[in-house]
Amino acid sequence: MNASIISIGDELLSGSVANSNSLYLANKLQGFGISLKKILTVGDNNKDIIESLESCKKLSNLVFTTGGLGSTHDDVTRNTVTKYFNSQLLFHEDIIRKIRALFERRGQRMPDINKALAYIPDNAVILPNTIGTAQGMRFEKDETIFYVMPGVPAEMKQMFDNIVTPELKKISNKICLLY
């Protein structure tokens, strides 16, 4: 098996934020014996994200993205993957309830802009974010599995460790049984 990593965010390209997610994922994937084919960093740009997804799909069985899932104007990943995977966004009431509850536990009122985070592509498997607001997603296309995760390192790590890692173990076991 092989993988590619795409880190998304203008802040990564400008150097104002260190790209710790790629390093973390590369180390974890190596531990599974997964060969890393490509690591890319792209800005918050639809065209660049789609080109990166397509490029990595040609090289890899697994593609991991981090970043661009938030609720601000520059967070374009959700809409971009919706287009790339020929999806429609669906509103999930259960997600918005969890986000509101997270804000309430912090003693804050949820800003209306966060309602966008409850819209998930209809053909995505939701990867729950238990410590933040942006849900992750899993897609399959042309025999490639895509994991789309938040860019906040703590959120990405908990999602990878608690959700993706068990899935990778299952995939690895199936491959071992085939050989």
Side-chain angles (χ1 to χ4, degrees):
M1 289 192 68
N2 51 58
S4 294
I5 299 168
I6 306 168
S7 299
I8 301 166
D10 292 339
E11 67 281 4
L12 300 172
L13 290 176
S14 71
S16 63
V17 173
N19 187 356
S20 62
N21 287 344
S22 288
L23 177 63
Y24 183 83
L25 289 172
N27 285 325
K28 290 288 188 171
L29 294 172
Q30 182 181 4
F32 280 104
I34 296 171
S35 173
L36 197 55
K37 294 295 184 184
K38 186 181 276 194
I39 297 177
L40 297 172
T41 302
V42 298
D44 295 302
N45 176 288
N46 295 322
K47 180 178 175 275
D48 292 345
I49 295 168
I50 287 176
E51 286 175 2
S52 298
L53 290 168
E54 193 61 25
S55 167
C56 291
K57 179 182 67 126
K58 292 176 183 175
L59 292 174
S60 303
N61 309 101
L62 301 165
V63 176
F64 298 87
T65 75
T66 64
L69 294 177
S71 57
T72 60
H73 72 281
D74 62 332
D75 289 319
V76 299
T77 302
R78 177 179 300 98
N79 289 333
T80 303
V81 297
T82 299
K83 178 180 176 182
Y84 181 74
F85 293 106
N86 298 314
S87 306
Q88 298 293 316
L89 288 172
L90 292 179
F91 184 78
H92 291 261
E93 187 64 40
D94 58 323
I95 292 174
I96 201 66
R97 278 195 303 271
K98 289 177 186 175
I99 294 171
R100 271 196 193 100
L102 181 66
F103 276 91
E104 288 171 7
R105 284 193 303 273
R106 295 175 180 168
Q108 301 172 334
R109 182 173 145 7
M110 183 191 83
D112 284 341
I113 195 169
N114 283 41
K115 289 179 183 174
L117 299 172
Y119 285 91
I120 305 291
D122 60 359
N123 58 354
V125 173
I126 298 170
L127 308 178
N129 186 341
T130 59
I131 62 172
T133 57
Q135 309 308 300
M137 296 164 266
R138 180 173 43 79
F139 298 91
E140 292 186 34
K141 184 175 185 173
D142 300 332
E143 299 181 27
T144 300
I145 300 171
F146 295 80
Y147 290 96
V148 180
M149 299 178 289
V152 176
E155 295 177 26
M156 185 279 302
K157 288 175 183 177
Q158 76 79 28
M159 193 173 288
F160 184 87
D161 292 344
N162 297 324
I163 299 168
V164 177
T165 291
E167 289 188 13
L168 292 179
K169 287 179 181 176
K170 286 180 188 175
I171 292 168
S172 297
N173 288 339
K174 284 181 185 176
I175 290 171
C176 289
L177 291 173
L178 291 174
Y179 295 101

